[in-house]
Short mmCIF file of all heavy atoms in Angstrom, two decimals:
data_model
loop_
_atom_site.label_atom_id
_atom_site.label_comp_id
_atom_site.label_asym_id
_atom_site.label_seq_id
_atom_site.Cartn_x
_atom_site.Cartn_y
_atom_site.Cartn_z
N PRO A 205 8.52 -7.52 -25.15
CA PRO A 205 7.84 -6.79 -26.23
C PRO A 205 7.60 -5.32 -25.93
O PRO A 205 7.49 -4.52 -26.86
CB PRO A 205 6.49 -7.53 -26.38
CG PRO A 205 6.65 -8.81 -25.68
CD PRO A 205 7.78 -8.69 -24.71
N HIS A 206 7.51 -4.91 -24.66
CA HIS A 206 7.26 -3.50 -24.39
C HIS A 206 8.52 -2.64 -24.57
O HIS A 206 8.43 -1.44 -24.56
CB HIS A 206 6.65 -3.28 -23.01
CG HIS A 206 7.23 -4.07 -21.90
ND1 HIS A 206 7.11 -5.43 -21.82
CD2 HIS A 206 7.94 -3.69 -20.81
CE1 HIS A 206 7.73 -5.87 -20.73
NE2 HIS A 206 8.24 -4.83 -20.09
N PHE A 207 9.68 -3.29 -24.74
CA PHE A 207 10.91 -2.52 -24.99
C PHE A 207 11.40 -2.70 -26.42
O PHE A 207 12.02 -1.81 -26.97
CB PHE A 207 12.01 -2.92 -24.01
CG PHE A 207 11.67 -2.64 -22.56
CD1 PHE A 207 11.71 -3.67 -21.62
CD2 PHE A 207 11.31 -1.36 -22.16
CE1 PHE A 207 11.39 -3.41 -20.30
CE2 PHE A 207 11.01 -1.11 -20.82
CZ PHE A 207 11.03 -2.14 -19.89
N THR A 208 11.15 -3.87 -26.99
CA THR A 208 11.63 -4.14 -28.35
C THR A 208 10.80 -5.23 -28.96
O THR A 208 10.43 -6.17 -28.26
CB THR A 208 13.14 -4.51 -28.35
OG1 THR A 208 13.61 -4.51 -29.71
CG2 THR A 208 13.40 -5.84 -27.71
N PRO A 209 10.42 -5.09 -30.26
CA PRO A 209 9.67 -6.20 -30.84
C PRO A 209 10.53 -7.46 -30.84
O PRO A 209 11.72 -7.43 -31.14
CB PRO A 209 9.39 -5.73 -32.28
CG PRO A 209 10.24 -4.54 -32.51
CD PRO A 209 10.65 -3.98 -31.20
N ILE A 210 9.92 -8.60 -30.47
CA ILE A 210 10.64 -9.87 -30.45
C ILE A 210 10.42 -10.54 -31.81
O ILE A 210 9.28 -10.81 -32.18
CB ILE A 210 10.10 -10.80 -29.33
CG1 ILE A 210 10.03 -10.07 -27.96
CG2 ILE A 210 10.91 -12.08 -29.24
CD1 ILE A 210 11.32 -9.63 -27.38
N THR A 211 11.50 -10.75 -32.53
CA THR A 211 11.38 -11.34 -33.85
C THR A 211 12.11 -12.69 -33.86
O THR A 211 12.95 -12.94 -33.01
CB THR A 211 12.01 -10.43 -34.92
OG1 THR A 211 13.38 -10.21 -34.57
CG2 THR A 211 11.31 -9.08 -34.99
N ALA A 212 11.76 -13.50 -34.83
CA ALA A 212 12.33 -14.87 -34.85
C ALA A 212 13.85 -14.83 -34.90
O ALA A 212 14.52 -15.58 -34.21
CB ALA A 212 11.78 -15.64 -36.05
N ASP A 213 14.43 -13.90 -35.67
CA ASP A 213 15.88 -13.91 -35.78
C ASP A 213 16.57 -13.33 -34.54
O ASP A 213 17.77 -13.45 -34.38
CB ASP A 213 16.35 -13.20 -37.06
CG ASP A 213 15.85 -11.78 -37.14
OD1 ASP A 213 14.83 -11.47 -36.47
OD2 ASP A 213 16.44 -10.97 -37.85
N ARG A 214 15.77 -12.67 -33.70
CA ARG A 214 16.38 -12.15 -32.46
C ARG A 214 16.16 -13.12 -31.30
O ARG A 214 16.66 -12.87 -30.21
CB ARG A 214 15.72 -10.84 -32.07
CG ARG A 214 16.23 -9.67 -32.83
CD ARG A 214 15.49 -8.48 -32.35
NE ARG A 214 15.96 -7.27 -32.92
CZ ARG A 214 15.38 -6.10 -32.71
NH1 ARG A 214 14.30 -6.05 -31.95
NH2 ARG A 214 15.83 -5.02 -33.23
N LYS A 215 15.42 -14.18 -31.57
CA LYS A 215 15.13 -15.13 -30.51
C LYS A 215 16.43 -15.63 -29.88
O LYS A 215 17.34 -16.02 -30.59
CB LYS A 215 14.38 -16.31 -31.16
CG LYS A 215 13.64 -17.17 -30.23
CD LYS A 215 12.73 -18.05 -31.07
CE LYS A 215 11.82 -18.85 -30.19
NZ LYS A 215 10.72 -19.44 -30.95
N LEU A 216 16.50 -15.57 -28.57
CA LEU A 216 17.75 -15.97 -27.94
C LEU A 216 17.89 -17.48 -27.91
O LEU A 216 16.99 -18.19 -27.53
CB LEU A 216 17.78 -15.48 -26.49
CG LEU A 216 17.80 -13.98 -26.25
CD1 LEU A 216 17.77 -13.70 -24.77
CD2 LEU A 216 19.02 -13.36 -26.87
N SER A 217 19.02 -17.95 -28.38
CA SER A 217 19.36 -19.37 -28.23
C SER A 217 20.86 -19.44 -28.30
O SER A 217 21.53 -18.42 -28.55
CB SER A 217 18.70 -20.20 -29.32
OG SER A 217 19.04 -19.68 -30.57
#
Side-chain angles (χ1 to χ4, degrees):
H206 43 293
F207 298 124
T208 190
I210 309 296
T211 58
D213 56 338
R214 280 179 175 175
K215 197 167 187 165
L216 295 178
S217 54

